[in-house]
Amino acid sequence: MTTQTRERCFACDRVIRDRNPLRADTRDAQLVFVGSDCYRKIVNADDDGYQPPKGGPRLFALPAGAAPAGR
């Protein structure tokens, strides 16, 4: 029996159902995985960054082509 672990969204802690989770920048040398809904919020927050409701560092969208979207 194999156990499949799934990535969890750093912002909301929900399981990411996409095969290739998106990445966001925390501005402290850390890239984290986020789901598509949270990534949209991060992009909409623009330069102010998105503050996840559960706390933690602000999240910022990566510039296009800065890092691959997958693992």
Side-chain angles (χ1 to χ4, degrees), residues 45-57:
D46 204 28
D47 291 335
D48 295 331
Y50 172 68
Q51 180 65 55
K54 294 188 176 234

Side-chain angles (χ1 to χ4, degrees):
M1 180 179 195
T2 60
T3 308
Q4 182 179 11
T5 59
R6 293 191 173 224
E7 293 291 338
R8 296 187 85 73
C9 177
F10 184 84
C12 68
D13 202 38
R14 292 187 198 148
V15 171
I16 299 173
R17 300 203 185 278
D18 299 331
R19 289 186 77 109
N20 294 315
L22 300 164
R23 290 185 181 188
D25 182 15
T26 62
R27 299 275 164 95
D28 64 354
Q30 183 179 196
L31 295 177
V32 295
F33 291 119
V34 293
S36 56
D37 289 338
C38 288
Y39 192 77
R40 259 189 304 257
K41 293 175 185 177
I42 294 167
V43 169
N44 289 338
D46 204 28
D47 291 335
D48 295 331
Y50 172 68
Q51 180 65 55
K54 294 188 176 234
R58 286 190 172 276
L59 302 175
F60 300 86
L62 294 172
R71 297 170 196 239

